Amino acid sequence: MNFGPLNRDGGERRLNVLITRARRRCIVYCNFVGAELDLRRSGARGVRALKTFLEYAQHGVIDVPEASGKEADSPFEEAVAARLRALGHDVDHQVGSAGFFVDLAVVDPERPGRYLLGIECDGATYHSSRSARDRERLRQQVLQGLGWRIHRIWSTDWFRNPQQELERVAAAVRSARMSGAPRPAPKPPPPKPLERVPEPEPEIPAPTAPYRVARPGIGFLRTPLHEIPVGRLAKWIAQVVQLESPVHFDEVILRRRGDSSVSSRVDGRS
């Protein structure tokens, strides 16, 4: 029950920082479960918060029953608790859960932080009203939805035959211990949206055609360049510009020189 800073004042704030920073998932590795933390042995808020968090991580239920420290409401309740303690059961009075109080709760001897059974000691006078019965029915549904096993003892039945009612309670405790007092299964998480597999992108042709170098086909020139008619020179330039446009004027000259030298080597005249 010693968790260092969690046992001190403000320990619950440290735990809050630890468990609320994950953006997607929080995975808990622990060599004990929340049911093993007995809150009667520690009044630290940090330990209480740790128990609540571990219970929620395991069962998906955030409610943690806690003994209120209140006394029994009636001599009937005290009598039932005394007989159960005589059988060796550890019993708490007025255990709070989900805003309600269970009259008696039997502690699990293997995990003192968990209750095996909740016992409601019902008086005939209180339950003679129809509205009270409806209210109690709703209350029991809420507690059972949180994992409680509820056993009812009517005051009239107890005073008529206490031994028989005590045996029924003992049988309910044994049944709860054998079944492990399971918590309700948490609601399954909503199905994850199907991941859309991206379709292969179609191959898009290049926006421009591959660059090609112009070959005007001038051939070997016997006449100096400045003596060639302007119209003929313009025709050669137009061929280069049409294929390579936009192109610098110097590149046009290089194309003309290259074509002329190639033609000359082919003719064997250079």
Side-chain angles (χ1 to χ4, degrees):
M1 296 298 296
N2 185 6
F3 298 100
L6 289 184
N7 292 79
R8 306 184 191 132
D9 291 340
E12 69 280 3
R13 293 195 295 269
R14 288 175 175 260
L15 181 65
N16 174 64
V17 172
L18 175 66
I19 65 179
T20 59
R21 290 303 179 263
R23 298 187 62 181
R24 295 186 179 180
R25 181 181 303 172
C26 183
I27 302 177
V28 182
Y29 294 91
C30 195
N31 61 351
F32 62 94
V33 294
E36 298 181 41
L37 297 182
D38 187 1
L39 297 182
R40 297 176 298 179
R41 296 174 52 194
S42 175
R45 295 181 63 185
V47 177
R48 187 181 302 112
L50 177 62
K51 178 181 176 69
T52 303
F53 173 67
L54 292 179
E55 290 282 346
Y56 176 75
Q58 181 180 6
H59 302 291
V61 178
I62 202 169
D63 177 74
V64 174
E66 184 177 355
S68 64
K70 297 180 179 180
E71 299 296 332
D73 281 348
S74 64
F76 168 39
E77 183 180 322
E78 291 179 352
V80 174
R83 297 292 296 270
L84 288 173
R85 291 190 180 104
L87 294 177
H89 298 297
D90 189 3
V91 181
D92 285 341
H93 293 272
Q94 299 299 314
V95 176
S97 180
F100 302 110
F101 288 95
V102 180
D103 293 337
L104 298 174
V106 181
V107 179
D108 186 348
E110 298 179 359
R111 294 180 176 179
R114 181 177 67 177
Y115 293 106
L116 289 174
L117 187 70
I119 301 174
E120 294 290 274
C121 300
D122 298 325
T125 304
Y126 178 76
H127 289 281
S128 61
S129 171
R130 177 178 179 181
S131 60
R133 291 196 301 270
D134 293 341
R135 183 169 59 249
E136 282 297 298
R137 192 175 296 112
L138 176 61
R139 175 174 177 268
Q140 181 170 340
Q141 290 176 357
V142 172
L143 293 173
Q144 289 176 339
L146 294 173
W148 278 95
R149 290 175 177 267
I150 301 297
H151 179 82
R152 291 190 176 273
I153 304 178
W154 294 91
S155 58
T156 52
D157 295 336
W158 177 266
F159 290 117
R160 287 175 182 173
N161 194 338
Q163 186 59 35
Q164 179 179 346
E165 293 301 314
L166 185 63
E167 292 175 357
R168 291 180 60 246
V169 176
V173 173
R174 288 194 299 269
S175 176
R177 183 180 297 177
M178 292 178 60
S179 63
R183 285 271 189 173
K187 296 180 180 180
K192 295 182 178 179
L194 297 178
E195 296 183 0
R196 182 179 179 183
V197 180
E199 299 179 357
E201 297 183 0
E203 295 184 1
I204 301 176
T208 57
Y211 191 81
R212 293 186 299 168
V213 179
R215 299 288 185 230
I218 300 173
F220 180 74
L221 297 178
R222 300 179 181 273
T223 307
L225 187 60
H226 64 277
E227 295 181 2
I228 297 176
V230 177
R232 190 176 179 185
L233 290 175
K235 182 179 179 181
W236 294 340
I237 293 174
Q239 292 176 357
V240 176
V241 171
Q242 183 178 6
L243 187 62
E244 297 188 42
S245 176
V247 60
H248 196 274
F249 181 75
D250 293 343
E251 292 294 326
V252 177
I253 300 301
L254 290 176
R255 300 294 181 270
R256 184 254 167 238
R257 290 176 180 175
D259 188 79
S260 176
S261 60
V262 171
S263 299
S264 299
R265 285 195 297 272
V266 172
D267 293 341
R269 300 175 183 175
S270 60

